[in-house]
Amino acid sequence: MSKPSVTSNPKKKMPASLLFCAAYCLLLSVALILVDGSAILLAVYAVMSLLTYVVYGFDKRAAQKGQSRISEKTLHLLSLFCGWPGALIAQHRLRHKTIKQPFKATLWIMILVNCGVVMWSFNPIFRNTLQDAFTVVHSILPQ
């Protein structure tokens, strides 16, 4: 009697970090719609995430070839400036920068700071202060 072939391909469980990323992007989209916000913020996240993903890919390739690497500071700054969804996706897909705990902890600090600033920007006090600052700067500039 022949053995049944085992070709099971169990579905990989999506990491919590990617679920967080998807939920954040969805909530941000809804928030922008509700406050008549500009979709430019979503475009910034998309472009910076793509850039961050590509930079992680270059760093992974450099690590494999023993070439000079991209600094962790650069990777963290990209994450801070709206590139963190790309960083999380790159960590998962490229399996890069997933072991070193200090790097991961700093990455999550950058993510929380970015999310905090973006969420705070929805506060009317912040929006009015920013608008007042632009008005002052515009009035100072020569016409």
Side-chain angles (χ1 to χ4, degrees):
M1 205 151 117
S2 66
K3 289 184 176 180
S5 66
V6 179
T7 58
S8 67
N9 187 6
K11 290 184 179 181
K12 287 187 175 182
K13 208 167 96 172
M14 184 177 286
S17 60
L18 293 184
L19 291 174
F20 170 80
C21 181
Y24 177 81
C25 291
L26 178 65
L27 289 173
L28 181 60
S29 299
V30 169
L32 287 171
I33 291 168
L34 292 176
V35 297
D36 295 326
S38 172
I40 197 160
L41 183 57
L42 294 175
V44 169
Y45 269 104
V47 169
M48 289 302 295
S49 291
L50 179 62
L51 175 65
T52 304
Y53 186 92
V54 168
V55 171
Y56 266 70
F58 282 130
D59 189 50
K60 170 84 176 198
R61 189 172 330 146
Q64 290 170 333
K65 293 182 176 184
Q67 297 172 340
S68 79
R69 306 277 304 275
I70 295 166
S71 73
E72 289 186 355
K73 182 178 179 181
T74 299
L75 297 175
H76 287 312
L77 284 174
L78 287 168
S79 296
L80 177 64
F81 294 112
C82 299
W84 63 264
L88 292 178
I89 294 167
Q91 281 187 326
H92 176 69
R93 301 270 304 166
L94 304 175
R95 295 179 174 250
H96 187 53
K97 295 290 189 183
T98 58
I99 302 296
K100 196 173 175 187
Q101 283 300 18
F103 181 88
K104 288 172 66 172
T106 304
L107 173 63
W108 277 99
I109 290 169
M110 297 298 112
I111 291 170
L112 293 175
V113 168
N114 175 268
C115 292
V117 168
V118 169
M119 291 303 133
W120 184 61
S121 73
F122 283 95
N123 183 328
I125 294 170
F126 172 80
R127 294 172 77 97
N128 293 337
T129 304
L130 189 61
Q131 186 175 10
D132 292 345
F134 282 132
T135 303
V136 169
V137 169
H138 183 56
S139 68
I140 294 172
L141 295 174
Q143 299 297 332

